[in-house]
Amino acid sequence: MSDPTERYERSTTRSRELFEEARAYMPGGDTREVTYHSPYPTFVEEASGTTLTTADGEELLDFLNNYTAAVLGHAPEPVVEAVAERFARGSGIAAPTR
């Protein structure tokens, strides 16, 4: 059986590339120190419902849900529609709004 780190590195070459690129812009290449793991974190391309799709094409069940901020899952249609409707009328307005 091969070393777990070696298996991870073989199966996550795109995440490694993205991590190296991120290191050019962010100290340590990662903004989420609490979820960082060696030798580099897995990069996620998209999320829908309870599924994360990594940059390497793996689908993962999201147990963190952004630490409860995504309690409804990622991109649930009613939330996407409500946010799109609000943003179509402006966002970050520096005055009271309804």
Side-chain angles (χ1 to χ4, degrees):
M1 178 178 277
S2 64
D3 175 59
T5 300
E6 290 175 8
R7 284 196 320 264
Y8 176 77
E9 289 177 336
R10 279 196 310 271
S11 66
T12 59
T13 56
R14 183 66 180 137
S15 285
R16 181 197 309 238
E17 291 169 2
L18 292 170
F19 177 64
E20 291 300 326
E21 181 180 338
R23 288 176 60 182
Y25 301 99
M26 293 180 285
D30 188 3
T31 62
R32 302 298 292 263
E33 183 178 310
V34 73
T35 61
Y36 177 86
H37 56 83
S38 232
Y40 49 86
T42 302
F43 276 67
V44 173
E45 283 293 317
E46 65 181 63
S48 179
T50 60
T51 303
L52 304 174
T53 304
T54 72
D56 300 287
E58 186 177 19
E59 288 191 354
L60 306 172
L61 184 57
D62 184 5
F63 287 101
L64 292 179
N65 290 321
N66 199 26
Y67 297 101
T68 72
V71 69
L72 300 175
H74 297 281
E77 196 58 37
V79 174
V80 170
E81 289 172 3
V83 169
E85 179 185 324
R86 175 62 253 174
F87 270 54
R89 292 180 287 144
S91 66
I93 299 166
T97 65
R98 194 165 56 100

